Amino acid sequence: MTTLIVADDHPLFRTALRDVTQQAMPNASLVEASSFAELMSVLGRHADDTAMVLLDLHMPGAHGFSALLFLVAHYPDLPVLMISANEQEEIIRRAADHGAAGFISKSADTETIAEAIAAVVRGDLRFPDWVDLSRPGVTDEESGVADALSELTPQQFRVASMISQGLLNKQIAYELDVTEATVKAHVTEIFRKLGVHSRTQAALKLGSLDLPAPGDVS
């Protein structure tokens, strides 16, 4: 059976997306994830039969576009449809440049969302008509960070995300249930791949993936 993953941290919106997704793909099996760690766990079980990920732009455990970058790098044949209330053209162009298969607004009507889901599953792209995708969305710096993130293993990705949140090695080891020595080894590899020498430099690099402050939008 075809699986569709709905990844959003808001329970009510996940429920709404579940209803719309069932309308678009009535025979699909739906799986929900409320954080990026949960999404990785779900993919570990359903990667082979997943047809699409519907991904919230603001996911706990991810840093800006890092969740999208990770999915594109590690699951290149799995289309990712971004959904967000943050509809700035720059955001949508960056999502497209980073490999998203589409972008829809959380304020879109159910018919529009359902049509976009079905289209992306078919292999089509779905971005708002008013967005000029011929214009570049990412800077050279952001592109370089994206390339570096694509080389991280899933565990290194989680460690990098925690570094960007300011967690220390001891805290990361506790969260991941691994030894501090294991975290140090991951940090060394992350620094090497990002081309940095400190946690501050790593956090600044990852900061290039940040999103414009959306106010109360998520």
Side-chain angles (χ1 to χ4, degrees):
M1 178 180 288
T2 299
T3 298
L4 302 181
I5 298 176
V6 175
D8 192 288
D9 63 325
H10 297 290
L12 290 178
F13 197 73
R14 282 202 310 275
T15 299
L17 284 178
R18 170 179 283 273
D19 293 341
V20 175
T21 303
Q22 286 179 326
Q23 174 185 331
M25 303 286 293
N27 297 320
S29 171
L30 301 180
V31 182
E32 298 179 13
S34 60
S35 67
F36 188 71
E38 196 172 318
L39 174 58
M40 286 197 293
S41 177
V42 167
L43 281 170
R45 302 191 303 272
H46 298 282
D48 291 341
D49 59 358
T50 297
M52 186 199 71
V53 175
L54 189 61
L55 179 67
D56 182 19
L57 192 56
H58 298 270
M59 283 291 287
H63 201 280
F65 285 99
S66 61
L68 171 62
L69 291 168
F70 178 87
L71 292 176
V72 170
H74 290 271
Y75 302 92
D77 297 325
L78 180 61
V80 180
L81 177 59
M82 305 299 298
I83 186 163
S84 178
N86 195 333
E87 303 173 66
Q88 298 178 42
E89 182 173 357
E90 175 201 353
I91 294 289
I92 299 173
R93 284 191 283 110
R94 287 169 73 190
D97 284 355
H98 284 314
F103 192 106
I104 51 178
S105 170
K106 285 188 174 182
S107 62
D109 58 65
T110 57
E111 183 177 347
T112 298
I113 296 175
E115 192 279 332
I117 291 170
V120 169
V121 170
R122 288 195 307 267
D124 298 333
L125 300 179
R126 275 297 181 273
F127 291 93
D129 293 337
W130 53 269
V131 176
D132 182 5
L133 294 180
S134 67
R135 297 173 56 197
V138 301
T139 63
D140 290 342
E141 178 186 7
E142 185 174 346
S143 179
V145 175
D147 290 342
L149 277 182
S150 70
E151 298 180 4
L152 299 183
T153 67
Q155 193 77 316
Q156 288 168 1
F157 179 91
R158 294 187 65 186
V159 172
S161 296
M162 292 178 181
I163 289 174
S164 71
Q165 296 166 23
L167 272 66
L168 303 176
N169 286 357
K170 183 179 296 185
Q171 295 170 306
I172 295 173
Y174 176 80
E175 290 292 330
L176 297 180
D177 194 24
V178 298
T179 66
E180 196 167 345
T182 297
V183 174
K184 288 180 180 178
H186 286 321
V187 171
T188 297
E189 275 300 291
I190 291 166
F191 285 2
R192 182 184 68 80
K193 291 174 179 176
L194 287 175
V196 300
H197 303 286
S198 71
R199 303 173 89 85
T200 299
Q201 290 176 334
L204 288 172
K205 282 265 190 178
L206 292 170
S208 67
L209 300 174
D210 279 346
L211 308 167
D216 59 352
V217 176
S218 63

